Amino acid sequence: MKIDAFTHIFPKGYWDRMLRVLPDGRDMHKRVRAIPSIMDLDARFRIMDQFGDDYRQILSLGSPPIEAFPDRNTAELAKAANDGMAELVSRYPERFTGFVASLPMNDIDAACVETVRAIEELGALGVQVFTNIRGRPLYTADSLPLFDLVAKYDLPMWMHPARGADFADYVGEKKSHYEIWWTLGWPYETSTAMAHMVFGGLFDRHPAFKLITHHMGGMIPYFEGRVGPGWDQLGTRTSDEDYTVIVKSMKEKGKRPVDYFRNFYADTALFGAHEATKCGLRFFGVEHTVFASDAPFDPEGGRAYIRDTLEIVERLDLSPSERRAIYEGNIRRLCRLDQRERTWKASSSMKAA
C-alpha cells in the first residue's frame, strides 16, 4: 500500500463556514478557492483512481491556519473541521487511511481540549500545527502543554509552514514580492520552527517526540554544513546572549546540534525534485522518511505531485523493504495503524455478531 501522509482537503461543512467567516481572504486563502479537488470529492476520487487500488491518503486541512481567523470563530472552526474529517474517513475507509486533527492554536487551552476530543472520540491519527502562531514562535513555554499532551498520546504532530505576503522580504519594505514568501519563506519557516524546538529543548524533554516536517525538513538537509559545523560554534557570533551554554549542555549528552535535527521526521513532498529528495533522505534516513505528495496543490489540480513523487520514490536506490517503509511502514508505526485496524476489525465483528 502507498499511504500519502500529507494531503489536504476541506470538508464541505468546514468549507462553507470558512467562506462565511472570510469570503475574500488573500494569499493561500485565494489559492485554495481555485482548486476543485480540495473540496469536491468526485474530482478528488477521479484523480486518486489514476494511481491504483493501493493508493490511500491521510487527510489534513489546507492553509490558511485556523488561528488566522477571528478569535471568536477558531474553536468552532476546529471542531467543524475535525468532525468533517472523521466523517470522510468513516464513509470512505478504502480511500482515506485517517485524518490529522486541526487546532485553534491562538488558544492553547482550547487546542488541548480539541486534541483530546479529536484523538479519543474521533480517532485522529495526530494533530497538525503551523510553523508560527500569528507571527509568534510555535514552540514556547505557552505552547508546552500541547506538546506534552501529544507526547503522552505518543502520536505524531504534523507541522506545516505558514507565511503570507505581509511578511516582507526586507525590513524596509511593506510586503513580500514575487511570492518569495511562499517559495523561499516557507522552507525558512519550517527550518526556524525546527531550530526553536531543538535549542528550546523539545527532544531533551521528549526524546521520542514524533514530529513530521512538511517538504523534507525545509532547508535543514541542504544546509547540513551550516547546521553541523556552523551551529557547533553557536554563540560565537552573538553579543547580547550566551548561547555557548546550549552547545556545552549538548556536548555533555554526547550530541551536537545537527544530531537533534535528525530526530525529526520528513516527508517526500518536494514537487518532483529528485536530487533534493535524495539529499533529504540521506540526512533523515529511511526510518525517518514518509511518503507524501502535498496533493492537490500542483499545477494540474491534484494529480501531478502524486505522479511525480511516486516516480521519484520508485527511482531511488532503495531495497524493497526500505521502499515499503517509506510508502507505508513508517507511517503505520508512527500512528500505530496496525493496532488501530485490529481494534476496528474486532469492534466490527462484535457489532455484526
Side-chain angles (χ1 to χ4, degrees):
M1 189 175 292
K2 299 176 179 68
I3 301 176
D4 197 335
F6 222 137
T7 72
H8 302 295
I9 199 168
F10 288 97
K12 181 66 165 61
Y14 175 85
W15 176 265
D16 293 341
R17 185 175 298 205
M18 177 184 75
L19 293 183
R20 286 197 301 271
V21 172
L22 195 64
D24 56 352
R26 303 173 57 195
D27 302 339
M28 282 306 297
H29 200 295
K30 172 189 174 184
R31 175 77 172 104
V32 299
R33 296 197 304 273
I35 305 173
S37 63
I38 205 164
M39 192 273 292
D40 185 328
L41 289 176
D42 289 335
R44 194 179 192 95
F45 292 161
R46 284 195 296 272
I47 292 169
M48 294 178 69
D49 287 342
Q50 299 176 37
F51 301 100
D53 294 337
D54 62 345
Y55 174 75
R56 302 283 191 278
Q57 293 183 343
I58 291 176
L59 303 176
S60 63
L61 213 59
S63 296
I66 284 178
E67 57 270 19
F69 295 94
D71 280 348
R72 66 182 182 277
N73 301 111
T74 56
E76 290 305 313
L77 279 170
K79 289 179 181 179
N82 295 330
D83 288 344
M85 293 281 199
E87 181 182 358
L88 288 172
V89 172
S90 177
R91 287 176 60 191
Y92 304 104
E94 75 285 357
R95 301 279 192 176
F96 305 132
T97 299
F99 79 97
V100 184
S102 299
L103 304 176
M105 291 295 290
N106 57 296
D107 183 338
I108 295 299
D109 289 341
C112 289
V113 170
E114 185 59 17
T115 295
V116 172
R117 188 185 80 92
I119 291 174
E120 296 189 3
E121 298 181 21
L122 304 180
L125 301 181
V127 301
Q128 176 176 247
V129 296
F130 287 78
T131 48
N132 69 77
I133 304 172
R134 295 181 173 177
R136 295 179 288 107
L138 168 63
Y139 186 71
T140 64
D142 292 337
S143 62
L144 270 182
L146 176 65
F147 283 83
D148 291 345
L149 179 62
V150 175
K152 186 185 78 170
Y153 280 114
D154 192 28
L155 288 171
M157 178 180 281
W158 277 251
M159 186 170 72
H160 194 288
R163 179 181 287 196
D166 57 340
F167 197 112
D169 306 321
Y170 295 94
V171 174
E173 293 187 311
K174 293 183 178 180
K175 58 167 283 185
S176 175
H177 298 277
Y178 318 116
E179 297 186 357
I180 291 171
W181 60 267
W182 180 88
T183 306
L184 303 177
W186 278 20
Y188 179 84
E189 277 278 342
T190 300
S191 308
T192 299
M194 293 166 71
H196 273 258
M197 292 173 194
V198 166
F199 297 117
L202 171 62
F203 293 113
D204 289 325
R205 187 180 182 91
H206 299 296
F209 198 89
K210 303 171 180 176
L211 195 144
I212 302 172
T213 62
H214 209 5
H215 310 305
M216 196 60 91
M219 299 161 55
I220 298 300
Y222 320 105
F223 289 83
E224 184 177 359
R226 301 181 80 90
V227 174
W231 259 330
D232 287 341
Q233 304 172 76
L234 177 64
T236 62
R237 296 167 287 261
T238 303
S239 303
D240 59 345
E241 293 184 68
D242 184 8
Y243 290 139
T244 62
V245 295
I246 299 175
V247 177
K248 289 176 184 177
S249 174
M250 290 179 173
K251 284 182 178 178
E252 289 171 0
K253 300 179 181 72
K255 294 183 177 181
R256 302 167 59 205
V258 69
D259 297 327
Y260 284 87
F261 282 92
R262 299 186 201 278
N263 287 345
F264 291 99
Y265 290 79
D267 71 25
T268 60
L270 286 173
F271 315 141
H274 183 232
E275 293 300 321
T277 304
K278 288 165 59 179
C279 178
L281 188 59
R282 283 194 299 269
F283 184 86
F284 291 107
V286 168
E287 68 281 0
H288 274 235
T289 303
V290 299
F291 166 63
S293 69
D294 196 30
F297 281 103
D298 57 76
E300 298 177 21
R303 67 177 56 83
Y305 287 167
I306 301 172
R307 179 189 65 232
D308 295 347
T309 307
L310 286 169
E311 289 177 357
I312 284 173
V313 175
E314 291 299 318
R315 288 170 57 195
L316 293 171
D317 184 16
L318 299 169
S319 69
S321 63
E322 289 173 329
R323 191 169 282 105
R324 280 196 303 273
I326 292 173
Y327 273 141
E328 66 168 326
N330 292 337
I331 197 67
R332 283 187 174 278
R333 170 174 50 83
L334 290 173
C335 300
R336 303 195 298 277
L337 285 176
D338 293 339
Q339 176 185 333
R340 286 167 175 256
E341 289 172 0
R342 285 194 298 269
T343 302
W344 179 82
K345 288 178 181 177
S347 175
S348 297
S349 298
M350 291 177 63
K351 289 178 181 179

